Amino acid sequence: MYSTFLTNGKIKSKAEDNACTKLIETWSAEVAKGLAQIILLIDPKSVIIGGGISRQGPFLVNAIERHLNEYLPDDFLKAEIKVAQLFNDAALYGAVYPFFKNNGKNDNEEVTTC
C-alpha cells in the first residue's frame, strides 16, 4: 500500500500525483491541528518533526506551516518548524548514546580510573 505513494523514498505528491497530494494535505492538516494546540499551550521556540516522514524536508515543513496558520491567531506562529537532522535514526542514536557516554560501562557499574 505505502509503496504506491513513494518513489525513491520521496513522496509522489512532489510530482503532483493527485492521490498522494490529497493524502499529504490531509495528514499535514491533522498534524498542524495538534501542533497548534501545543504551540498555544507552551509557546515553544521550535518544533522538530522526526521519523521517516521528516526526509521530506522543506516540502513537509511548508505543508504543515500552511495549515498551522489556519489554527493559530494572526502573526502568532513564532515557533520554527524543522525536520530532525537524524530523520528516522534519532531513537537509535538516543538508545546508544549512554553507552558511548560512559565508555561502554553500564550506568549502574562503578567506573574506576587509574
Side-chain angles (χ1 to χ4, degrees):
M1 175 181 162
Y2 295 109
S3 62
T4 61
F5 292 112
L6 298 174
T7 302
N8 295 329
K10 298 291 183 180
I11 296 177
K12 281 185 182 180
S13 71
K14 287 183 180 180
E16 299 182 15
D17 180 304
N18 289 336
C20 293
T21 301
K22 184 176 180 179
L23 176 70
I24 292 302
E25 285 301 312
T26 301
W27 181 86
S28 61
E30 290 298 317
V31 169
K33 191 178 202 179
L35 286 178
Q37 300 299 316
I38 293 168
I39 291 169
L40 288 168
L41 286 172
I42 62 174
D43 194 21
K45 183 176 179 179
S46 61
V47 174
I48 311 295
I49 306 293
I53 193 72
S54 64
R55 288 208 179 269
Q56 302 310 312
F59 174 75
L60 176 68
V61 170
N62 291 337
I64 292 172
E65 284 179 342
R66 190 171 52 253
H67 290 292
L68 265 174
N69 291 324
E70 298 170 16
Y71 299 109
L72 294 173
D74 291 340
D75 299 322
F76 189 84
L77 182 57
K78 299 174 194 167
E80 181 181 6
I81 310 298
K82 304 188 257 185
V83 294
Q85 292 179 349
L86 298 175
F87 306 111
N88 204 30
D89 294 334
L92 174 63
Y93 282 94
V96 298
Y97 174 76
F99 177 78
F100 288 106
K101 177 182 162 194
N102 295 324
N103 296 320
K105 300 289 185 190
N106 185 326
D107 282 339
N108 295 328
E109 294 177 22
E110 183 177 319
V111 178
T112 56
T113 58
C114 298

